[in-house]
Each structure stands twice: as structure tokens, then as C-alpha cells.
């Protein structure tokens, strides 16, 4: 029987939906299906919109599937249940010289969630998406069928499930190929740049020399300051270079209470962005990071999503194709700057051309832009509609894991494999996102 109706939230705290929750802790057991209605796997709730929600239906909480099955310290192949978090995989693997081949900007996501969203990271130009490194998984369907899926076995369900947003069934366990690393530290540079032309020059230059690249953009820059920011590039340090270094224990920080209004507004943004851009005096600063400070800076602040206030926020991430990436990036940033809205953390990065294995995977060759918008009413949604129009005109796409409002037309235009994907959707699996963008009239 389902637990009482509760309101699990996505990380953006929007939308607010009532749903039932049941827990699953035995991967060998049958799916805990209600008598009627749909179900959806739910991990740690770090998707930003409604792709991890099932309003009026049931969520199957998977954190109880938290067992490690095997770890080959020689080959770096690790198998574990789908509720294991990336943080827990790192804790087990890193002391033995292995790290995640691809990681998003938080380690507080489950293995199943990383597969369902085919997450990407700062090394996409070399390693592609998370799904490129998944060797196999078990998929439990609502009819009790258990499918062993890999690129060679049940390859069609493998492709549909990677990036499939939890709609093809429940991944109970998976086998992942880790990446050999010489240390838990990275060395590189922070480079201050003045605009988009310089950003694209740095991206092209750094792709061959550095494994991890990403940039912060001042979203309020306009005119001569449009597209200015800081470009980070890094490689894993060798054992000799990292000798004697210890990972810093960050002070436990938290946003303890929800402010009555968003702390992110035009005044705070303008002050923060100016200070952040000018925090570095030389154009190029040599840097050394540990894995946490480089890959997961926001993980050091618990409940940071509260700064956006009780209305929550919308994260907006898009990718536009290589051919027009410079002009389209400029058009997006100009529209954002005119609005005076945005966030402290704005990420711009060039994706590589390694194909994603999933039918609905987000990355493609081109440039991706990601930022948060506090929800201020209709004006916020109208701004995002204007940004959508720019992206659709450029034949780009919006990231489902970050979305809570894109239209069915935008989803269909951005994901040409949608009709093929529909064939693999489990008849009992559904989500608020899927009902919004996939259900035919």
C-alpha cells in the first residue's frame, strides 16, 4: 500500500505536486505497483523541474537500493544497485585510484538518476555522456519482465533507457566503467576573458590540452561586456604533483531557512557579478583544486536552492548546434541581459562530438548555456518563451532534467527520436513532465 500523499520536490522547488511514495529496498522483489495509476522511479530529487515528479501518481523511492555488488580494483569496473549515489561510488573508488568517467555538477544523484538523465560534465568534449560508460544494467518492467540490457543485448531498450527519464522501467542495478586517475587533485588555470570571441578561442585551444573545461559568464553583461567571464581548464595531477596534498575539509555551510523572497534579484546579481568577474587581478591565474572544489562547489552549501525563496526557481539549460553557436549564444545572452534576470551561476561550455547512446539524450555538438531564474510570475515564463524561440530557430534543444515548462512542440522539435522512444515506454510508467510534453491530444 502506498504511503500517505506527500509532496516530494524537485531541486527547483517547482512545481508543487501531491503524489504517493512507496519505497523499494530489494532489487529482486516485484515493483511495488498501486492498484491503479502510474509510477515513476525517484532517487535523490536533484532534477530541477518535473521530470522526477508524478503529480497524482506514485513515486518509487529507490534509495533503499543501496548495495555495492562488485568492484574490480584492477579494471575499474564497478557494479551496484541503482539507488547508490555518485558520492558513495567516489568514496569507494577514489582511494583505489578510480573516479567517475563523467560527473555532473553535483555528486548527490543516484546511479539510476545519472542513467535516466544521461548526465554530462566538464569533460564532454573527450568522454561524452555518462551513458557512454555504462556497460550494462537490469531493467525491471511493470509486467515483471527483467531485461539484461547492454549495447549488445536488448540494445534497443538500452538506448531508450539511457536518457529515458525513468519512463522505460526501473533500473535495479548497473555496471559502470570507472576512469583511472593518478590523484584526487586537478591543476590548471582560471582565465579571465572579455567576450564570446575570446571564449570560443579558449575553448578550441583547450579542448586538446585539458580534460575538463567550463566557464562562468556574467549574465548581465551587455555591449562591450557581453559574454565576459572566467574560463576554467584543468587536468588530473600526477601522483608526484599531488604528493603531500590533502583534500580540504570544507566547513559545513547551509542555508538554514527559506527567505520570504528570492535573494537573487537585479541588485544582488549586479553586485555579485561585478565582484566575481573582478575577483581575479591577472588574466591568467594558476590553480590547484581537489575533486570536490572543482567538480562540486555548490555541494558544499546544503539547501542552497532556498536562496530563491518560496516560489522556487527555473533552471534553463539549452544546447545550440555548432554552425551558429557563436551568434545564437550572443542572442541568448543579449535577451537575458535586457531582462535584468538570471543567476549567480551561469555556465557556458562547448560540447564535443562523441555521440550520446540514448534516444533522448540531451548533449549534441555545439554550445550549452545553463542558468537559474527565480520565479517572479508571468514575466519569468515569458522570458523563457522568448529564449525558447531563439533556440528552436537554431535547431537546438532544452534539457529535460532542468525543465518545468517547455512546450510539447519544443520537445518534439528538439528530440527527433521521440517517436521511436515511445515504443519503449512502460505502460505503467509516467511523469508530470511526460504528460506535459509527450501525451497526444
Amino acid at each position: 500500500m502506498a504511503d500517505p500523499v506527500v509532496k516530494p520536490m524537485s531541486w527547483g522547488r517547482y512545481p508543487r505536486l501531491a503524489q504517493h511514495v512507496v519505497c523499494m529496498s530489494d532489487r529482486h522483489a516485484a515493483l511495488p505497483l498501486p492498484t491503479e495509476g502510474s509510477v515513476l522511479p525517484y532517487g535523490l530529487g536533484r532534477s530541477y523541474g518535473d521530470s522526477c515528479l508524478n503529480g497524482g501518481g506514485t513515486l518509487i523511492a529507490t534509495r533503499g537500493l543501496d548495495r555495492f555488488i562488485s568492484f574490480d580494483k584492477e579494471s575499474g569496473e564497478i557494479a551496484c544497485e541503482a539507488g547508490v549515489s555518485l558520492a558513495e561510488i567516489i568514496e569507494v573508488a577514489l582511494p583505489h585510484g578510480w573516479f567517475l568517467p563523467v560527473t555532473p555538477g553535483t555528486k548527490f544523484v543516484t546511479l539510476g538518476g545519472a542513467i535516466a538523465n544521461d548526465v554530462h560534465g566538464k569533460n564532454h568534449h573527450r568522454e561524452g555522456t555518462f551513458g557512454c560508460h555504462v556497460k550494462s544494467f537490469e531493467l525491471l518492467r511493470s509486467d515483471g519482465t527483467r531485461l539484461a540490457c547492454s549495447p549488445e543485448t536488448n540494445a534497443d531498450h538500452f538506448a531508450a533507457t539511457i536518457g529515458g527519464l525513468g519512463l522505460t522501467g526501473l533500473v535495479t542495478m548497473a555496471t559502470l566503467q570507472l576512469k583511472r586517475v593518478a590523484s584526487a587533485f586537478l591543476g590548471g588555470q582560471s582565465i579571465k576573458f572579455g567576450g564570446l570571441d575570446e571564449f570560443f578561442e579558449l575553448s578550441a585551444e583547450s579542448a586538446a590540452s585539458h580534460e575538463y573545461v567550463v566557464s562562468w559568464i556574467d549574465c548581465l553583461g551587455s555591449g562591450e561586456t557581453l559574454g565576459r567571464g572566467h574560463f576554467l581548464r584543468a587536468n588530473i595531477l600526477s601522483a608526484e604533483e599531488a604528493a603531500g596534498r590533502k583534500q580540504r575539509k570544507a566547513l559545513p555551510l547551509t542555508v538554514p531557512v527559506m527567505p520570504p523572497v528570492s535573494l537573487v534579484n537585479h541588485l544582488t546579481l549586479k553586485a555579485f557579478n561585478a565582484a566575481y568577474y573582478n575577483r581575479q587581478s591577472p588574466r591568467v591565474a594558476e590553480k590547484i583544486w581537489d575533486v570536490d572544489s572543482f567538480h562540486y562547489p555548490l555541494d558544499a552549501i546544503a539547501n542552497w536552492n532556498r536562496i530563491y525563496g518560496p516560489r522556487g526557481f527555473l533552471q534553463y539549460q539549452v544546447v545550440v548546434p555548432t554552425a551558429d553557436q557563436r551568434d545564437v549564444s550572443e542572442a541568448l545572452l543579449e535577451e537575458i541581459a535586457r531582462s535584468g534576470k538570471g543567476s549567480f551561476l551561469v555556465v557556458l561550455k562547448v560540447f564535443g562530438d562523441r555521440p550520446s547512446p540514448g534516444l533522448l539524450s540531451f548533449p549534441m555538438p555545439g554550445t550549452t548555456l545553463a542558468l537559474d531564474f527565480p520565479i517572479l510570475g508571468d514575466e519569468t515564463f515569458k522570458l523563457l518563451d522568448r529564449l525558447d524561440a531563439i533556440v528552436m530557430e537554431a535547431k537546438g534543444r532544452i534539457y529535460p532534467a532542468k525543465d518545468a515548462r517547455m512546450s510539447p512542440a519544443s520537445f518534439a522539435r528538439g528530440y527527433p527520436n521521440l517517436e521511436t522512444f515511445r515504443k519503449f515506454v512502460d505502460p505503467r510508467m509516467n511523469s508530470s513532465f511526460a504528460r506535459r510534453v509527450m501525451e497526444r491530444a
Side-chain angles (χ1 to χ4, degrees):
M1 176 177 286
D3 294 336
V5 176
V6 294
K7 294 185 178 180
M9 292 185 186
S10 63
W11 193 244
R13 305 179 69 84
Y14 175 88
R16 307 291 179 90
L17 301 171
Q19 52 221 309
H20 294 273
V21 176
V22 295
C23 298
M24 188 169 181
S25 58
D26 181 359
R27 77 174 187 274
H28 302 293
L31 280 175
L33 296 173
T35 304
E36 59 184 22
S38 62
V39 297
L40 181 74
Y42 182 87
L44 283 164
R46 285 300 181 109
S47 293
Y48 283 72
D50 56 1
S51 65
C52 64
L53 302 178
N54 189 21
T58 298
L59 297 177
I60 301 175
T62 62
R63 273 294 280 158
L65 301 175
D66 59 357
R67 298 165 185 82
F68 285 84
I69 299 168
S70 64
F71 176 33
D72 188 326
K73 300 179 182 63
E74 296 301 317
S75 70
E77 184 176 288
I78 193 166
C80 48
E81 293 180 338
V84 173
S85 71
L86 300 188
E88 290 162 342
I89 293 175
I90 295 169
E91 185 177 0
V92 168
L94 190 55
H96 299 282
W98 297 98
F99 189 64
L100 298 169
V102 169
T103 181
T106 175
K107 59 183 176 181
F108 298 130
V109 300
T110 62
L111 175 60
I115 293 171
N117 294 287
D118 197 16
V119 297
H120 55 272
K122 299 176 182 69
N123 61 347
H124 183 274
H125 60 289
R126 289 197 181 179
E127 299 292 348
T129 63
F130 193 87
C132 294
H133 307 276
V134 174
K135 303 190 75 171
S136 64
F137 54 78
E138 181 187 71
L139 184 68
L140 177 57
R141 303 272 288 181
S142 62
D143 63 1
T145 303
R146 292 177 182 269
L147 299 177
C149 299
S150 72
E152 298 77 34
T153 305
N154 292 311
D156 48 2
H157 282 87
F158 184 82
T161 301
I162 293 176
L165 305 170
L167 299 173
T168 64
L170 173 72
V171 173
T172 62
M173 59 80 64
T175 301
L176 178 68
Q177 178 60 56
L178 298 174
K179 174 185 178 61
R180 173 68 82 180
V181 292
S183 76
F185 296 90
L186 301 95
Q189 296 85 36
S190 172
I191 305 172
K192 190 158 62 172
F193 60 90
L196 289 175
D197 289 336
E198 195 173 352
F199 162 78
F200 283 107
E201 289 172 4
L202 284 167
S203 294
E205 168 194 323
S206 304
S209 57
H210 290 78
E211 176 164 2
Y212 300 103
V213 297
V214 70
S215 68
W216 168 85
I217 295 288
D218 177 1
C219 65
L220 295 185
S222 61
E224 293 184 354
T225 64
L226 181 75
R228 70 177 184 176
H230 289 263
F231 190 95
L232 303 183
R233 59 188 188 186
N235 289 312
I236 298 288
L237 293 183
S238 68
E240 293 74 19
E241 291 170 322
R245 296 187 177 275
K246 294 183 179 180
Q247 287 187 265
R248 291 177 295 174
K249 296 293 182 182
L251 293 174
L253 300 175
T254 186
V255 179
V257 296
M258 178 82 69
V261 297
S262 173
L263 300 181
V264 181
N265 55 57
H266 184 75
L267 291 177
T268 59
L269 270 178
K270 187 175 182 179
F272 175 87
N273 285 10
Y276 195 80
Y277 179 74
N278 291 304
R279 80 191 194 282
Q280 178 178 310
S281 295
R283 176 178 177 271
V284 180
E286 298 295 325
K287 296 282 187 178
I288 292 180
W289 302 268
D290 60 28
V291 292
D292 281 347
S293 60
F294 185 81
H295 289 295
Y296 317 114
L298 286 178
D299 281 351
I301 308 172
N303 301 311
W304 64 261
N305 56 344
R306 289 177 176 170
I307 68 172
Y308 290 92
R311 285 185 167 187
F313 67 96
L314 299 166
Q315 182 161 109
Y316 188 73
Q317 183 168 2
V318 298
V319 58
V320 295
T322 303
D324 300 315
Q325 60 188 358
R326 195 262 178 229
D327 291 344
V328 179
S329 297
E330 180 177 67
L332 290 169
L333 290 172
E334 284 178 339
E335 187 66 44
I336 293 166
R338 277 194 296 269
S339 77
K341 299 175 179 62
S343 61
F344 303 136
L345 184 65
V346 182
V347 173
L348 192 66
K349 176 178 167 50
V350 175
F351 281 150
D353 57 6
R354 181 168 178 175
S356 302
L359 291 177
L360 295 186
S361 294
F362 165 70
M364 65 178 178
T367 296
T368 182
L369 172 70
L371 72 164
D372 306 332
F373 293 94
I375 297 175
L376 302 175
D378 287 346
E379 58 185 301
T380 305
F381 290 86
K382 289 177 180 177
L383 168 62
L384 296 184
D385 287 343
R386 295 196 298 273
L387 298 180
D388 284 357
I390 296 170
V391 173
M392 291 301 107
E393 178 68 21
K395 296 182 172 57
R397 61 177 62 140
I398 304 163
Y399 193 11
K402 307 290 181 72
D403 177 68
R405 35 66 56 197
M406 86 164 102
S407 69
S410 294
F411 186 62
R413 288 180 65 181
Y415 293 87
N417 293 323
L418 176 57
E419 290 307 311
T420 301
F421 172 78
R422 289 183 191 276
K423 302 172 186 177
F424 301 99
V425 174
D426 188 293
R428 290 295 300 274
M429 299 283 172
N430 212 333
S431 69
S432 295
F433 173 86
R435 283 188 290 275
R436 175 164 53 84
V437 302
M438 288 178 58
E439 289 190 355
R440 298 183 177 91

